[in-house]
Amino acid sequence: MTEKGTWLVKKGFAEMFKGGVIMDVTNAEQAKIAEEAGAVAVMALERVPADIRKAGGVARMASIAKIKEIMDAVSIPVMAKVRIGHIAEARILEALGVDFIDESEVLTPADDRFHINKHEFKVPFVCGARDLGEALRRIAEGAAMIRTKGEAGTGNVVEAVKHMRRVMDEIRRVQTMADEELVSYAKEIGAPVELVREVKRLGRLPVVNFAAGGVATPADAALMMMLGADGVFVGSGIFKSKEPAKMARAMVLAVTYWNDPEMLLKISEDIGEPMPGLEIGTLEVHMQERGW
Amino acid sequence: MLIGVLALQGDFREHIWALQRLGVEAFAVKTVSDLEKVDGLIIPGGESTSIGRIAQVTGVGEKIVQLAKEGLPIYGTCAGMILLAKRIVDHPEQYSFRLMDIVVQRNAYGRQIESFEVYLDVARLGKVKAVFIRAPKIVELGKGVEVLASYENTPVLVQQGKLLASSFHPELTDDLRIHEYFVKMVADRHESVR
């Protein structure tokens, strides 16, 4: 019997992204540049996070016409974002046939208490997390992939580093815990104990864990891989840089050759000017605080 | 005997684990000099455009083609099958290694919501659980290509001499028999070269 939309099929799809770069794009032309550079998927958006931040107001799911334009332009997987808790936006994107949904703090939340029950969908979901508890809550809801939240649209990698280090530190702590400590620890971090046990057994999250939120250079991308990321999302970092095609190619190579300094040097030599960055202390909106 | 898993992008870690569980020495291959050490190579699942692009700009692709012509056993899963095929329908311009006498169509079963798992009858091995993810379909088959498994009358596991390819991902399940089959192909060559 043929079975579609199973956990294995959803989680397995995310495994295929490993060692790759997922790029934010806002039109067919950018999508083609991303594909040509070697992106493993594109995220179809109305505006990149840096522009969402500038525009203010309520940020929603991209228009269907925009997502279709991008789906028609490339042969690689297309992801799109829905607001946290917006079940209807997610059902619409599933019906449209997008390959992955990002229930994302970059958009304005639709529900201030609950995320989507992602188990009910055939399409897989990725969600942001700042620590192990948040990651495991999202996995408990059915997320097939996790990414750090970082602070999107800033070109400042410090928050992504903080979140990746926190998740990795907590995983290491769990591994050294006695089994009888796990129930209390699960309560402390607000995560199901079954998933905490699985983390102890595996020594990692049970799903793929990407870095996102502030990656602006190939060196940033390599840094996130060194900290244990399985791959990298680059939002504004490519199409807000001066030479997107060069930057995109360099990001792709940096995520493959992150542990080869000679290669990283070569990759970083001719990338043009990166996007301008923002100091976290000056921000009015901290997108990472959205999500429960 | 050392088997390399091409680690430019994709689920290479799962292939390395599968080989290690079989007691085979395996490692992640990223460069031309890594390739010179291997007795066999697995090209994993991932995005064929991404793996192909990186292989092209680093010269790794050229080296794979050379080694394959000298008889190196290679197994490609999903994206790996696409990269082995002599032609890719609708994407003739896409960089690939063009080693195997099959023509493939990418994403031929549909987008991700159409991805599926199913049990298949595999020649010499029996029932195997197969996971198809945005999988490629073989639309033309050369004379020298043996079909080891089919799904809905389409070949999904094929062998041509030292080359093996599957539309699906044995590395995502705990069943090691297809990896074991490939390890035997590598071991046979390893012996004959000695």
Side-chain angles (χ1 to χ4, degrees), chain A residues 265-287:
Chain A
L265 170 62
K266 226 162 48 178
I267 291 162
S268 303
E269 259 173 333
D270 181 25
I271 52 171
E273 194 181 320
M275 71 180 282
L278 296 172
E279 182 59 51
I280 302 297
T282 65
L283 301 178
E284 282 175 25
V285 176
H286 291 96
M287 290 173 174

PDB file of all heavy atoms in Angstrom, chain A residues 265-287:
ATOM      1  N   LEU A 265      38.731  30.644   2.602  1.00  0.00           N
ATOM      2  CA  LEU A 265      39.473  31.838   2.182  1.00  0.00           C
ATOM      3  C   LEU A 265      39.190  32.131   0.710  1.00  0.00           C
ATOM      4  O   LEU A 265      38.848  33.253   0.329  1.00  0.00           O
ATOM      5  CB  LEU A 265      40.972  31.622   2.413  1.00  0.00           C
ATOM      6  CG  LEU A 265      41.914  32.674   1.807  1.00  0.00           C
ATOM      7  CD1 LEU A 265      41.658  34.046   2.407  1.00  0.00           C
ATOM      8  CD2 LEU A 265      43.370  32.267   2.015  1.00  0.00           C
ATOM      9  N   LYS A 266      39.320  31.087  -0.114  1.00  0.00           N
ATOM     10  CA  LYS A 266      39.091  31.256  -1.548  1.00  0.00           C
ATOM     11  C   LYS A 266      37.646  31.710  -1.823  1.00  0.00           C
ATOM     12  O   LYS A 266      37.397  32.611  -2.626  1.00  0.00           O
ATOM     13  CB  LYS A 266      39.369  29.920  -2.255  1.00  0.00           C
ATOM     14  CG  LYS A 266      40.209  30.113  -3.479  1.00  0.00           C
ATOM     15  CD  LYS A 266      40.901  28.895  -4.044  1.00  0.00           C
ATOM     16  CE  LYS A 266      40.105  27.642  -4.243  1.00  0.00           C
ATOM     17  NZ  LYS A 266      40.829  26.542  -4.839  1.00  0.00           N
ATOM     18  N   ILE A 267      36.710  31.066  -1.103  1.00  0.00           N
ATOM     19  CA  ILE A 267      35.293  31.375  -1.289  1.00  0.00           C
ATOM     20  C   ILE A 267      34.992  32.834  -0.912  1.00  0.00           C
ATOM     21  O   ILE A 267      34.181  33.504  -1.542  1.00  0.00           O
ATOM     22  CB  ILE A 267      34.437  30.428  -0.397  1.00  0.00           C
ATOM     23  CG1 ILE A 267      34.516  28.985  -0.910  1.00  0.00           C
ATOM     24  CG2 ILE A 267      32.995  30.895  -0.319  1.00  0.00           C
ATOM     25  CD1 ILE A 267      34.088  27.949   0.123  1.00  0.00           C
ATOM     26  N   SER A 268      35.671  33.338   0.110  1.00  0.00           N
ATOM     27  CA  SER A 268      35.355  34.667   0.659  1.00  0.00           C
ATOM     28  C   SER A 268      36.038  35.817  -0.079  1.00  0.00           C
ATOM     29  O   SER A 268      35.779  36.977   0.229  1.00  0.00           O
ATOM     30  CB  SER A 268      35.756  34.716   2.146  1.00  0.00           C
ATOM     31  OG  SER A 268      35.109  33.696   2.861  1.00  0.00           O
ATOM     32  N   GLU A 269      36.894  35.472  -1.038  1.00  0.00           N
ATOM     33  CA  GLU A 269      37.706  36.516  -1.669  1.00  0.00           C
ATOM     34  C   GLU A 269      36.920  37.478  -2.554  1.00  0.00           C
ATOM     35  O   GLU A 269      37.178  38.674  -2.557  1.00  0.00           O
ATOM     36  CB  GLU A 269      38.843  35.873  -2.486  1.00  0.00           C
ATOM     37  CG  GLU A 269      40.149  35.940  -1.731  1.00  0.00           C
ATOM     38  CD  GLU A 269      41.262  35.168  -2.406  1.00  0.00           C
ATOM     39  OE1 GLU A 269      40.991  34.191  -3.150  1.00  0.00           O
ATOM     40  OE2 GLU A 269      42.419  35.527  -2.164  1.00  0.00           O
ATOM     41  N   ASP A 270      35.966  36.970  -3.295  1.00  0.00           N
ATOM     42  CA  ASP A 270      35.295  37.813  -4.283  1.00  0.00           C
ATOM     43  C   ASP A 270      33.778  37.676  -4.133  1.00  0.00           C
ATOM     44  O   ASP A 270      33.120  36.989  -4.900  1.00  0.00           O
ATOM     45  CB  ASP A 270      35.745  37.385  -5.689  1.00  0.00           C
ATOM     46  CG  ASP A 270      35.110  38.237  -6.772  1.00  0.00           C
ATOM     47  OD1 ASP A 270      34.735  39.391  -6.476  1.00  0.00           O
ATOM     48  OD2 ASP A 270      34.966  37.732  -7.902  1.00  0.00           O
ATOM     49  N   ILE A 271      33.225  38.351  -3.119  1.00  0.00           N
ATOM     50  CA  ILE A 271      31.793  38.205  -2.854  1.00  0.00           C
ATOM     51  C   ILE A 271      31.048  39.531  -2.921  1.00  0.00           C
ATOM     52  O   ILE A 271      29.841  39.590  -2.713  1.00  0.00           O
ATOM     53  CB  ILE A 271      31.536  37.566  -1.463  1.00  0.00           C
ATOM     54  CG1 ILE A 271      32.281  38.317  -0.362  1.00  0.00           C
ATOM     55  CG2 ILE A 271      31.913  36.097  -1.459  1.00  0.00           C
ATOM     56  CD1 ILE A 271      31.911  37.878   1.040  1.00  0.00           C
ATOM     57  N   GLY A 272      31.750  40.619  -3.202  1.00  0.00           N
ATOM     58  CA  GLY A 272      31.088  41.922  -3.214  1.00  0.00           C
ATOM     59  C   GLY A 272      30.758  42.368  -1.796  1.00  0.00           C
ATOM     60  O   GLY A 272      31.179  41.745  -0.822  1.00  0.00           O
ATOM     61  N   GLU A 273      29.952  43.426  -1.700  1.00  0.00           N
ATOM     62  CA  GLU A 273      29.662  43.983  -0.381  1.00  0.00           C
ATOM     63  C   GLU A 273      28.438  43.304   0.240  1.00  0.00           C
ATOM     64  O   GLU A 273      27.393  43.216  -0.393  1.00  0.00           O
ATOM     65  CB  GLU A 273      29.392  45.489  -0.539  1.00  0.00           C
ATOM     66  CG  GLU A 273      29.403  46.239   0.770  1.00  0.00           C
ATOM     67  CD  GLU A 273      29.096  47.718   0.534  1.00  0.00           C
ATOM     68  OE1 GLU A 273      29.598  48.271  -0.464  1.00  0.00           O
ATOM     69  OE2 GLU A 273      28.354  48.292   1.325  1.00  0.00           O
ATOM     70  N   PRO A 274      28.545  42.794   1.487  1.00  0.00           N
ATOM     71  CA  PRO A 274      27.385  42.162   2.130  1.00  0.00           C
ATOM     72  C   PRO A 274      26.295  43.189   2.464  1.00  0.00           C
ATOM     73  O   PRO A 274      26.518  44.395   2.360  1.00  0.00           O
ATOM     74  CB  PRO A 274      27.952  41.566   3.421  1.00  0.00           C
ATOM     75  CG  PRO A 274      29.420  41.771   3.389  1.00  0.00           C
ATOM     76  CD  PRO A 274      29.720  42.815   2.367  1.00  0.00           C
ATOM     77  N   MET A 275      25.131  42.685   2.912  1.00  0.00           N
ATOM     78  CA  MET A 275      24.044  43.587   3.318  1.00  0.00           C
ATOM     79  C   MET A 275      24.489  44.428   4.518  1.00  0.00           C
ATOM     80  O   MET A 275      25.342  44.000   5.304  1.00  0.00           O
ATOM     81  CB  MET A 275      22.801  42.785   3.697  1.00  0.00           C
ATOM     82  CG  MET A 275      22.923  42.016   5.016  1.00  0.00           C
ATOM     83  SD  MET A 275      21.439  41.078   5.464  1.00  0.00           S
ATOM     84  CE  MET A 275      20.363  42.373   6.093  1.00  0.00           C
ATOM     85  N   PRO A 276      23.917  45.624   4.703  1.00  0.00           N
ATOM     86  CA  PRO A 276      24.228  46.398   5.908  1.00  0.00           C
ATOM     87  C   PRO A 276      23.639  45.699   7.134  1.00  0.00           C
ATOM     88  O   PRO A 276      22.610  45.040   7.029  1.00  0.00           O
ATOM     89  CB  PRO A 276      23.543  47.741   5.662  1.00  0.00           C
ATOM     90  CG  PRO A 276      22.596  47.543   4.543  1.00  0.00           C
ATOM     91  CD  PRO A 276      22.980  46.311   3.804  1.00  0.00           C
ATOM     92  N   GLY A 277      24.290  45.826   8.272  1.00  0.00           N
ATOM     93  CA  GLY A 277      23.821  45.134   9.473  1.00  0.00           C
ATOM     94  C   GLY A 277      23.224  46.080  10.499  1.00  0.00           C
ATOM     95  O   GLY A 277      23.456  47.290  10.453  1.00  0.00           O
ATOM     96  N   LEU A 278      22.435  45.515  11.410  1.00  0.00           N
ATOM     97  CA  LEU A 278      21.810  46.306  12.477  1.00  0.00           C
ATOM     98  C   LEU A 278      22.262  45.791  13.836  1.00  0.00           C
ATOM     99  O   LEU A 278      22.349  44.588  14.055  1.00  0.00           O
ATOM    100  CB  LEU A 278      20.281  46.188  12.404  1.00  0.00           C
ATOM    101  CG  LEU A 278      19.588  46.752  11.164  1.00  0.00           C
ATOM    102  CD1 LEU A 278      18.115  46.368  11.174  1.00  0.00           C
ATOM    103  CD2 LEU A 278      19.757  48.270  11.106  1.00  0.00           C
ATOM    104  N   GLU A 279      22.520  46.731  14.765  1.00  0.00           N
ATOM    105  CA  GLU A 279      22.842  46.373  16.145  1.00  0.00           C
ATOM    106  C   GLU A 279      21.544  45.932  16.835  1.00  0.00           C
ATOM    107  O   GLU A 279      20.511  46.604  16.721  1.00  0.00           O
ATOM    108  CB  GLU A 279      23.440  47.614  16.831  1.00  0.00           C
ATOM    109  CG  GLU A 279      23.873  47.426  18.248  1.00  0.00           C
ATOM    110  CD  GLU A 279      24.934  46.338  18.392  1.00  0.00           C
ATOM    111  OE1 GLU A 279      25.947  46.373  17.670  1.00  0.00           O
ATOM    112  OE2 GLU A 279      24.710  45.450  19.247  1.00  0.00           O
ATOM    113  N   ILE A 280      21.588  44.775  17.541  1.00  0.00           N
ATOM    114  CA  ILE A 280      20.357  44.222  18.134  1.00  0.00           C
ATOM    115  C   ILE A 280      19.733  45.212  19.137  1.00  0.00           C
ATOM    116  O   ILE A 280      18.515  45.356  19.206  1.00  0.00           O
ATOM    117  CB  ILE A 280      20.653  42.864  18.831  1.00  0.00           C
ATOM    118  CG1 ILE A 280      21.257  41.868  17.825  1.00  0.00           C
ATOM    119  CG2 ILE A 280      19.389  42.286  19.476  1.00  0.00           C
ATOM    120  CD1 ILE A 280      20.397  41.458  16.668  1.00  0.00           C
ATOM    121  N   GLY A 281      20.610  45.927  19.897  1.00  0.00           N
ATOM    122  CA  GLY A 281      20.114  46.860  20.921  1.00  0.00           C
ATOM    123  C   GLY A 281      19.280  48.012  20.369  1.00  0.00           C
ATOM    124  O   GLY A 281      18.512  48.633  21.106  1.00  0.00           O
ATOM    125  N   THR A 282      19.410  48.287  19.064  1.00  0.00           N
ATOM    126  CA  THR A 282      18.682  49.429  18.489  1.00  0.00           C
ATOM    127  C   THR A 282      17.324  49.033  17.907  1.00  0.00           C
ATOM    128  O   THR A 282      16.588  49.881  17.412  1.00  0.00           O
ATOM    129  CB  THR A 282      19.499  50.048  17.328  1.00  0.00           C
ATOM    130  OG1 THR A 282      19.593  49.074  16.281  1.00  0.00           O
ATOM    131  CG2 THR A 282      20.900  50.444  17.784  1.00  0.00           C
ATOM    132  N   LEU A 283      16.976  47.725  17.952  1.00  0.00           N
ATOM    133  CA  LEU A 283      15.761  47.264  17.261  1.00  0.00           C
ATOM    134  C   LEU A 283      14.497  47.609  18.053  1.00  0.00           C
ATOM    135  O   LEU A 283      14.466  47.509  19.277  1.00  0.00           O
ATOM    136  CB  LEU A 283      15.811  45.740  17.069  1.00  0.00           C
ATOM    137  CG  LEU A 283      16.984  45.181  16.268  1.00  0.00           C
ATOM    138  CD1 LEU A 283      16.875  43.664  16.225  1.00  0.00           C
ATOM    139  CD2 LEU A 283      17.018  45.757  14.863  1.00  0.00           C
ATOM    140  N   GLU A 284      13.457  47.992  17.309  1.00  0.00           N
ATOM    141  CA  GLU A 284      12.154  48.211  17.951  1.00  0.00           C
ATOM    142  C   GLU A 284      11.393  46.900  18.097  1.00  0.00           C
ATOM    143  O   GLU A 284      10.679  46.685  19.067  1.00  0.00           O
ATOM    144  CB  GLU A 284      11.310  49.180  17.110  1.00  0.00           C
ATOM    145  CG  GLU A 284      11.745  50.633  17.315  1.00  0.00           C
ATOM    146  CD  GLU A 284      10.993  51.568  16.406  1.00  0.00           C
ATOM    147  OE1 GLU A 284       9.872  51.244  15.978  1.00  0.00           O
ATOM    148  OE2 GLU A 284      11.557  52.652  16.108  1.00  0.00           O
ATOM    149  N   VAL A 285      11.525  46.014  17.099  1.00  0.00           N
ATOM    150  CA  VAL A 285      10.812  44.732  17.129  1.00  0.00           C
ATOM    151  C   VAL A 285      11.812  43.587  17.229  1.00  0.00           C
ATOM    152  O   VAL A 285      12.751  43.518  16.439  1.00  0.00           O
ATOM    153  CB  VAL A 285       9.973  44.550  15.839  1.00  0.00           C
ATOM    154  CG1 VAL A 285       9.311  43.184  15.825  1.00  0.00           C
ATOM    155  CG2 VAL A 285       8.938  45.651  15.732  1.00  0.00           C
ATOM    156  N   HIS A 286      11.630  42.732  18.225  1.00  0.00           N
ATOM    157  CA  HIS A 286      12.415  41.505  18.308  1.00  0.00           C
ATOM    158  C   HIS A 286      11.519  40.361  17.839  1.00  0.00           C
ATOM    159  O   HIS A 286      10.696  39.850  18.601  1.00  0.00           O
ATOM    160  CB  HIS A 286      12.895  41.268  19.733  1.00  0.00           C
ATOM    161  CG  HIS A 286      13.931  42.274  20.171  1.00  0.00           C
ATOM    162  ND1 HIS A 286      13.612  43.393  20.887  1.00  0.00           N
ATOM    163  CD2 HIS A 286      15.266  42.329  19.951  1.00  0.00           C
ATOM    164  CE1 HIS A 286      14.722  44.114  21.109  1.00  0.00           C
ATOM    165  NE2 HIS A 286      15.738  43.494  20.541  1.00  0.00           N
ATOM    166  N   MET A 287      11.715  39.957  16.578  1.00  0.00           N
ATOM    167  CA  MET A 287      10.840  38.917  15.998  1.00  0.00           C
ATOM    168  C   MET A 287      10.976  37.602  16.768  1.00  0.00           C
ATOM    169  O   MET A 287      10.040  36.828  16.859  1.00  0.00           O
ATOM    170  CB  MET A 287      11.200  38.712  14.532  1.00  0.00           C
ATOM    171  CG  MET A 287      10.798  39.897  13.662  1.00  0.00           C
ATOM    172  SD  MET A 287      11.422  39.699  11.977  1.00  0.00           S
ATOM    173  CE  MET A 287      10.638  41.105  11.170  1.00  0.00           C
TER     174      MET A 287
END
